[in-house]
Amino acid sequence: MKKLIAGNWKAYVNTERDADELFSLANSASSSAFDLVLCPPFPYLEEAEKRAKQFAVGAQNISSEKEGAHTGEVTAGVLKDLGVKYAIIGHSERRAEGETDEMVREKMTLALEAGLSPILCVGEHLETRKKGLNAAKDFIQEQLEKDLYKLQTINYKLIIAYEPIWAIGTGVSDKPEDTIVIINFIKEFLKTNGYKREARVLYGGSVNSKNILDFLSHEEIDGALIGRASTNPKEFTAIINAIA
Ligand code: PEP
């Protein structure tokens, strides 16, 4: 299975010029070695779709409403209409803003109904991880049970990003050997809970050009969700060269 690299631009890229530079760099990536997805802010999605040759386009979030009187929301239907293929759902930065597991589950349903591939983010807080890997597993299991409740029938390959919250944007990444324990746990959870199609499980949390191969050299880790480093042209180039 090809590794998947998803760049979550968050709110780091704020001009068309900077977005354009990253689109050009992504188009120079060797497409046969890995799958590349860029997730820019909503207003740049249309241009991303026009520019996408060696990458696919993802949204950073979707509305938990299908349509209607919801000012400022961007629905799965709008994204699908623009040609967007992926959507990050349940990112810890959105959960920290009040997104509940029920909303995440609704977003998963709407994304799947619209034909988008959701990248579901799960991961534990530092206090949990300090109690050990078993505590982290319990936390993640609860998220998966709620976020994927009765979604076993989906005819899609799931993408899950294991993103320990304490590793996001901190410069402190997980230890790959611990990541593998959690990723195997997630894969086992899906298998024993009736998700028949093989899922890709990514790691996210302070991945950069120096540590990316420490993660991706393990076959259990199916890719990476990369925030800040994916928005720095030099770092982004070094990352795609390292994997290629
Ligand atoms: C993320 O936003 O999903 C992420 C992992 O961020 P960073 O790479 O900056 O830690």
Side-chain angles (χ1 to χ4, degrees), residues 109-148:
T109 308
L110 291 170
L112 293 163
E113 277 174 8
L116 299 172
S117 293
I119 302 174
L120 172 65
C121 301
V122 295
E124 78 287 353
H125 298 272
L126 186 59
E127 316 82 82
T128 305
R129 183 55 172 270
K130 277 183 176 162
K131 294 180 194 151
L133 282 173
N134 282 340
K137 286 182 190 172
D138 288 346
F139 185 93
I140 291 161
Q141 176 163 339
E142 201 178 322
Q143 284 185 320
L144 291 172
E145 280 168 355
K146 289 180 177 164
D147 299 349
L148 295 174

Side-chain angles (χ1 to χ4, degrees), residues 8 10 12 88 91 93 121 163 167-171 204-207 225-229:
N8 175 15
K10 313 194 195 197
Y12 287 125
I88 296 173
H91 193 282
E93 288 159 10
C121 301
E163 297 211 306
I168 298 177
T170 58
S206 296
V207 171
L225 179 54
I226 309 175
R228 182 142 212 172

Side-chain angles (χ1 to χ4, degrees), residues 72-120:
E73 293 291 321
V74 178
T75 63
V78 167
L79 296 169
K80 182 68 184 171
D81 193 44
L82 281 178
V84 169
K85 305 267 182 322
Y86 296 84
I88 296 173
I89 293 183
H91 193 282
S92 61
E93 288 159 10
R94 303 240 45 106
R95 292 181 192 257
E97 299 284 332
E99 185 168 282
T100 62
D101 283 307
E102 289 65 35
M103 289 161 76
V104 171
R105 201 259 176 203
E106 203 48 45
K107 290 180 182 200
M108 288 295 293
T109 308
L110 291 170
L112 293 163
E113 277 174 8
L116 299 172
S117 293
I119 302 174
L120 172 65

Side-chain angles (χ1 to χ4, degrees), residues 4-23:
L4 182 124
I5 305 300
N8 175 15
W9 290 9
K10 313 194 195 197
Y12 287 125
V13 179
N14 296 295
T15 66
E16 273 187 297
R17 206 164 140 262
D18 289 346
D20 198 58
E21 184 179 3
L22 293 168
F23 295 147

Side-chain angles (χ1 to χ4, degrees), residues 5-233:
I5 305 300
N8 175 15
W9 290 9
K10 313 194 195 197
Y12 287 125
V13 179
N14 296 295
T15 66
E16 273 187 297
R17 206 164 140 262
D18 289 346
D20 198 58
E21 184 179 3
L22 293 168
F23 295 147
S24 298
L25 290 173
N27 277 334
S28 66
S30 160
S31 63
S32 56
F34 57 95
D35 292 327
L36 181 60
V37 179
L38 298 187
C39 303
F42 288 133
Y44 300 146
L45 288 174
E46 196 168 3
E47 183 60 19
E49 271 304 325
K50 286 189 200 138
R51 298 287 313 279
K53 290 197 179 64
Q54 305 285 10
F55 64 93
V57 180
Q60 297 177 21
N61 185 26
I62 66 167
S63 177
S64 57
E65 302 292 339
K66 187 168 185 174
E67 59 182 3
H70 305 289
T71 303
E73 293 291 321
V74 178
T75 63
V78 167
L79 296 169
K80 182 68 184 171
D81 193 44
L82 281 178
V84 169
K85 305 267 182 322
Y86 296 84
I88 296 173
I89 293 183
H91 193 282
S92 61
E93 288 159 10
R94 303 240 45 106
R95 292 181 192 257
E97 299 284 332
E99 185 168 282
T100 62
D101 283 307
E102 289 65 35
M103 289 161 76
V104 171
R105 201 259 176 203
E106 203 48 45
K107 290 180 182 200
M108 288 295 293
T109 308
L110 291 170
L112 293 163
E113 277 174 8
L116 299 172
S117 293
I119 302 174
L120 172 65
C121 301
V122 295
E124 78 287 353
H125 298 272
L126 186 59
E127 316 82 82
T128 305
R129 183 55 172 270
K130 277 183 176 162
K131 294 180 194 151
L133 282 173
N134 282 340
K137 286 182 190 172
D138 288 346
F139 185 93
I140 291 161
Q141 176 163 339
E142 201 178 322
Q143 284 185 320
L144 291 172
E145 280 168 355
K146 289 180 177 164
D147 299 349
L148 295 174
Y149 183 64
K150 290 198 172 159
L151 291 179
Q152 278 89 343
T153 53
I154 53 174
N155 195 21
Y156 263 84
K157 277 192 175 177
L158 280 175
I159 304 167
I160 313 264
Y162 167 52
E163 297 211 306
I165 295 168
W166 48 269
I168 298 177
T170 58
V172 181
S173 55
D174 197 14
K175 290 198 206 96
E177 60 269 31
D178 290 347
T179 308
I180 290 169
V181 171
I182 299 290
I183 284 186
N184 283 340
F185 172 76
I186 293 172
K187 289 183 179 179
E188 196 51 37
F189 171 90
L190 295 172
K191 219 192 284 169
T192 53
N193 283 277
Y195 297 90
K196 292 193 184 64
R197 306 200 55 171
E198 203 184 340
R200 285 206 266 196
V201 185
L202 322 178
Y203 166 73
S206 296
V207 171
N208 56 43
S209 63
K210 299 214 167 43
N211 63 18
I212 186 148
L213 292 184
D214 298 341
F215 290 97
L216 296 198
S217 57
H218 298 279
E219 66 173 331
E220 295 88 344
I221 304 177
D222 299 315
L225 179 54
I226 309 175
R228 182 142 212 172
S230 75
T231 64
N232 174 315

